[in-house]
């Protein structure tokens, strides 16, 4: 029997302290996430300095728990993969320093992982035989990207947001309506009781290229609520969500057709959205393509996806130098 290769993944790019052990890039032995949502909720958003301090406190126990839950010790680990960017620099540095320290002390290779590329790999954790090329809709709090994945490490960035990310729009609209943080899951839940056709919010650039723009939609919601204070919050939530999902899926669907992709994959925190998930699966059936919708816990930030992407990177690029730093604005590794 061939030996399983075990990667310890570490993720601290924003407000989740996470560690996971994954075998051969897809077999998840443990996946521990310590969320700081409760700590940041009172400020209405992530406070970078507070996030860094929480990572310092949680990093060691989270790694220890991931090792124990996987039933492995340091001698079983083949490499340590860690997010090096993009993200909050103070937060990234906690994970990178911890990963490098373990790499030195345990004498294991260190693998540098791009957080955005790792989101793509959440699909492979549950669908290891995913047939390429696929179009990936990567929608998170910091990014909104449409990507053509042609092979491992071979990506074409088709379009991205010109202003706010989709998750950012959810969070800002929720803050304006006084609904709490993070806004995505709250609006998602409220939308279930609202009428998605109550208000016709704008669908920016819907038939125009593959870039996105969500800041006008956010302003339009704010202006509408100011002028119509009696409209039910659930109808605003449902109508806003309908506009976001319409734009995301119109463009993603067009990209699948134009590039002859076998399917459409969702990735990133907003991929946990009920309407986006349901409508992706519906359109996949309608268009005769595959719809890949990772489980919700794999969509939001986690370290299993870091270990999965790290396994591929380890095989293609080998280990990174221990001089490798963290880069808060690291770009997505696209060739176009
Ligand atoms: O990928 P992620 O965990 O962190 C980043 O890398 O940004 O994404 C977090 C974002 C937040 O903006 C949050 O509001 C959004 O994902 N989100 C959702 C849902 N769950 C999380 N947005 C819409 N519907 C959801 N159910
Ligand atoms: Zn993320």
């Amino acid at each position: 029997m061939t030996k399983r290769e075990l990667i310890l993944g570490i993720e601290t790019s924003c407000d989740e302290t996470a560690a996971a052990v994954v075998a051969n890039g897809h077999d998840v032995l443990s996946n521990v996430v310590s969320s700081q949502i409760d700590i940041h909720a009172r400020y209405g958003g992530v406070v970078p300095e507070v996030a860094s301090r929480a990572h310092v406190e949680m990093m060691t126990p989270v790694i220890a728990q991931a090792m124990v839950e996987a039933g492995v010790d340091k001698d079983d680990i083949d490499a340590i993969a860690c997010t090096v960017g993009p993200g909050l620099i103070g937060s990234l540095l906690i994970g990178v320093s911890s990963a490098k320290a373990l790499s030195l002390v345990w004498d294991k290779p260190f693998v540098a992982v791009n957080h955005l590329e790792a989101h793509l790999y959440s699909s492979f954790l549950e669908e290891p035989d995913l047939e390429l090329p696929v179009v990936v809709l990567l929608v998170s709090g910091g990014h909104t990207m449409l990507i053509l994945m042609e092979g491992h490490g071979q990506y074409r960035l088709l379009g991205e947001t010109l202003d706010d990310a989709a998750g950012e729009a959810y969070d800002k609209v929720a803050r304006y309506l006084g609904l709490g943080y993070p806004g995505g899951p709250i609006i998602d839940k409220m939308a279930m009781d609202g009428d998605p056709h109550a208000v016709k919010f704008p669908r920016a650039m819907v038939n125009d290229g593959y870039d996105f723009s969500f800041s006008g939609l956010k302003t339009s919601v704010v202006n509408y609520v100011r002028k119509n204070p009696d409209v039910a919050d659930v109808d605003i939530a449902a109508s806003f969500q309908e506009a976001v999902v319409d734009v995301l899926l119109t463009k993603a669907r067009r990209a699948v057709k134009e590039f002859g992709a076998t399917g459409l994959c969702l990735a990133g925190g907003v991929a946990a959205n009920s309407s986006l998930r349901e409508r992706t699966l519906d359109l996949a059936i309608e268009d005769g393509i595959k719809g890949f919708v990772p489980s919700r816990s794999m969509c939001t930030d986690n370290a299993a996806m870091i270990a999965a992407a790290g396994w591929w990177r380890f095989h293609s690029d080998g280990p990174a130098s221990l001089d490798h730093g963290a880069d808060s604005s690291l770009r997505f590794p696209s060739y176009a």
Side-chain angles (χ1 to χ4, degrees), residues 77 119 298:
I77 297 294
H119 268 301
M298 286 301 171

Side-chain angles (χ1 to χ4, degrees), residues 118-194:
H119 268 301
L120 268 54
Y121 276 83
S122 53
S123 293
F124 288 93
L125 287 166
E126 290 162 349
E127 289 273 355
D129 301 321
L130 197 71
E131 203 187 322
L132 301 174
V134 288
V135 166
V136 186
L137 179 61
L138 171 49
V139 270
S140 71
H143 296 84
T144 300
M145 294 175 158
L146 203 53
I147 296 154
L148 179 67
M149 180 171 185
E150 296 179 299
H152 289 286
Q154 286 186 289
Y155 315 113
R156 185 161 158 194
L157 179 58
L158 304 175
E160 59 188 323
T161 184
L162 303 176
D163 40 55
D164 290 352
E168 195 180 351
Y170 268 94
D171 295 338
K172 286 179 175 171
V173 165
R175 194 181 314 160
Y176 175 74
L177 296 175
L179 302 174
Y181 171 85
I186 300 169
I187 290 185
D188 187 359
K189 196 154 174 265
M190 288 176 67
M192 289 173 190
D193 299 320

Side-chain angles (χ1 to χ4, degrees), residues 224-295:
Y224 186 88
V225 172
R226 267 199 201 124
K227 281 189 204 140
N228 304 277
D230 297 333
V231 177
D233 275 358
V234 288
D235 287 340
I236 299 291
S239 301
F240 160 76
Q241 177 159 288
E242 185 78 356
V244 173
V245 176
D246 271 357
V247 174
L248 292 175
L249 289 185
T250 303
K251 290 181 185 250
R253 189 175 204 171
R254 181 153 36 87
V256 170
K257 284 198 185 118
E258 180 176 342
F259 296 98
T262 62
L264 172 62
C265 289
L266 299 184
V270 181
N273 184 264
S274 316
S275 167
L276 182 60
R277 297 168 75 82
E278 205 179 301
R279 288 180 56 186
T280 296
L281 295 175
D282 287 349
L283 85 76
I285 294 171
E286 232 173 88
D287 291 359
I289 58 163
K290 287 204 167 168
F292 297 105
V293 175
S295 59

Side-chain angles (χ1 to χ4, degrees), residues 11 13-14 115-116 119 138 140-143 268-269 299-302 305:
E11 155 65 31
S13 66
C14 190
H115 180 87
L116 300 171
H119 268 301
L138 171 49
S140 71
H143 296 84
C299 294
T300 48
D301 288 350
N302 66 84
M305 68 183 195

